Amino acid sequence: MQNLYQKIQKIESLQAAADRATAAFKKHYNIDCLQHCAECCKYNDINASPLEFLPLAWHLYKTGQIEEFFERISNIDTKQCVFSVFKDNRWGCSCYPSRGMICRLFGFACTKNKLGKPAFAACHTLKHDCPEKIDSICKKVSVSKRVPVIAEFYQKLSMLDLSLGEELVPINQAIKEACEIVYMHTSYK
């Protein structure tokens, strides 16, 4: 049986693979987020698994911030991600290097349509600001075999821990549960 740190290393490896896949997608289709947009971070209905936030929770533990953060997340009353911040007149993510799988894949990965073909899951902002480009990408992606598929990454993630990987909950709850797991693991060694 693998220990928590080994599981976290495997999650980080899978997250790195997602980063490489989305970077390749962006480069191949010459598309990227609008600078300092972060509209996706402001959604109130983002679901995630606690498993994908274990690396973040581990980072908070290793830097001595887990108790302070746990107190903060326990007292929030918003559905918007706790790491979504407005600073210097722009939105952003205050934990970007440790963000979850959904954050890594959103906007530059595909879902599968009812025929099992890839369908580009572009964000609303890009659909609005460059509809011709998005339409062109959608057509190309539908016949491509080499695109990042969200469900495939989540399937690989859930294989690391079936109970945690298949549970999708609101993002702040997922982050809180990941912190609880790390805190309990490190407190009772």
Side-chain angles (χ1 to χ4, degrees), residues 60-74:
L60 292 171
Y61 164 71
K62 294 301 277 180
T63 58
Q65 302 174 67
I66 197 162
E67 288 182 24
E68 174 188 324
F69 177 76
F70 191 74
E71 182 72 28
R72 182 174 136 212
I73 200 166
S74 295

Side-chain angles (χ1 to χ4, degrees), residues 167-186:
E167 176 188 10
L168 293 178
V169 296
I171 194 164
N172 289 334
Q173 182 181 337
I175 296 167
K176 184 178 178 182
E177 287 180 24
C179 287
E180 288 172 347
I181 291 164
V182 169
Y183 185 78
M184 296 300 275
H185 177 81
T186 56

Side-chain angles (χ1 to χ4, degrees), residues 12 36 49 60 64 68 113 121 153 155 157 160-161 166 178 185:
E12 288 172 332
H36 306 298
S49 74
L60 292 171
E68 174 188 324
N113 66 20
F153 277 97
Q155 182 179 25
L157 181 68
L160 299 175
D161 186 317
E166 292 187 353
H185 177 81

Side-chain angles (χ1 to χ4, degrees), residues 43-105:
Y43 291 162
N44 287 321
D45 60 350
I46 301 170
N47 288 322
S49 74
L51 188 60
E52 68 192 272
F53 284 102
L54 285 179
L56 169 66
W58 186 259
H59 170 75
L60 292 171
Y61 164 71
K62 294 301 277 180
T63 58
Q65 302 174 67
I66 197 162
E67 288 182 24
E68 174 188 324
F69 177 76
F70 191 74
E71 182 72 28
R72 182 174 136 212
I73 200 166
S74 295
N75 292 316
I76 63 166
D77 61 353
T78 181
K79 292 180 180 178
Q80 185 175 314
C81 180
V82 68
F83 290 108
S84 175
V85 295
F86 187 72
K87 186 177 180 181
D88 299 328
N89 263 353
R90 56 186 168 203
W91 282 95
C93 175
S94 64
C95 75
Y96 192 81
S98 299
R99 68 198 185 283
M101 187 67 76
I102 190 62
C103 309
R104 293 166 191 275
L105 294 170

